[in-house]
Amino acid sequence: QKEVEQDPGPLSVPEGAIVSLNCTYSNSAFQYFMWYRQYSRKGPELLMYTYSSGNKEDGRFTAQVDKSSKYISLFIRDSQPSDSATYLCAMSHLPYSSASKIIFGSGTRLSIRP
Amino acid sequence: GAVVSQHPSRVICKSGTSVKIECRSLDFQATTMFWYRQFPKQSLMLMATSNEGSKATYEQGVEKDKFLINHASLTLSTLTVTSAHPEDSSFYICSARDEGGNNEQFFGPGTRLTVL
């Protein structure tokens, strides 16, 4: 079993729709949870970073962590064509600010149709 | 955000040759850089942690004699794939930690290696 599972998609939705991206994980020691966006032929860029359970909102993006279910989500409201990219969930045992090992999901390819 | 560059962006080589990939932090210094490998439709897998002025730390299963890492300055780390074989074909991505900022890791654009 992989430590982090993520549906690779592709996921295609119309512009303006709410997008829900999800990951499950098996290691209960993970404390820090991240979402990255990766455009084609580019490196990943950090979108959001959360600690433990709960919600965090940043503009059109909301990250949700449910540690009891070992399940994390990223919601995108009012989706735009420019949101089309691959979204990777990631997690670690130690704070993001340390030289800790980050475990990535395989990424979900998202396409927003104009 | 801070910028990390990689060179080359794409390389095609014959089996048995060695390939060097450079990772540079352009506007910050990085004591620690990371090298990842990403196969199609799979996760980024950490290969090694590169430490300026000292030996790299390799993840389990990664051959240190095959993937040579040199981190000779605070802005440059290199990964050399020695005697490359077709199974080494992959997308290699580096990241650098901005210790002068909030320690965020910034990723390079990746290098696509194809070994014929």
Side-chain angles (χ1 to χ4, degrees), chain A residues 2 4 8 36 38 41-46 88 96-107 109, chain B residues 10 32 34 36 38 41-46 49 59 91 93 97 102-110:
Chain A
K2 291 181 185 177
V4 180
Y36 287 82
Q38 185 175 21
R41 300 192 199 92
K42 301 277 190 181
E45 56 177 328
L46 181 67
L88 301 120
Y96 182 71
S97 59
S98 74
S100 58
K101 183 176 176 180
I102 299 175
I103 308 298
F104 286 87
S106 56
R109 201 149 45 94
Chain B
R10 182 184 290 263
T32 307
F34 303 88
Y36 295 84
Q38 186 177 29
K41 297 182 182 177
Q42 293 190 29
S43 314
L44 273 77
M45 298 296 295
L46 180 65
T49 301
E59 294 299 303
F91 194 51
I93 303 178
R97 207 155 62 93
N102 63 356
N103 282 300
E104 182 175 343
Q105 280 189 41
F106 293 94
F107 286 81

Side-chain angles (χ1 to χ4, degrees), chain B residues 23-37:
Chain B
C23 177
R24 293 182 187 272
S25 55
L26 296 186
D27 48 4
F28 66 99
Q29 293 184 329
T31 304
T32 307
M33 293 185 175
F34 303 88
W35 286 97
Y36 295 84
R37 183 165 49 184

Side-chain angles (χ1 to χ4, degrees), chain B residues 11-24:
Chain B
V11 58
I12 300 172
C13 69
K14 291 182 180 178
S15 186
T17 59
S18 294
V19 175
K20 181 187 281 189
I21 303 170
E22 293 185 349
C23 177
R24 293 182 187 272

Side-chain angles (χ1 to χ4, degrees), chain A residues 8-58:
Chain A
L11 178 63
S12 179
V13 301
E15 184 175 355
I18 296 174
V19 175
S20 172
L21 304 167
N22 312 293
C23 286
T24 58
Y25 62 95
S26 57
N27 191 336
S28 58
F30 287 134
Q31 297 278 357
Y32 300 86
F33 304 91
M34 293 145 276
W35 285 95
Y36 287 82
R37 179 174 60 197
Q38 185 175 21
Y39 290 112
S40 181
R41 300 192 199 92
K42 301 277 190 181
E45 56 177 328
L46 181 67
L47 270 180
M48 300 190 71
Y49 166 49
T50 56
Y51 168 66
S52 197
S53 285
N55 292 358
K56 185 175 182 179
E57 192 173 316
D58 184 1

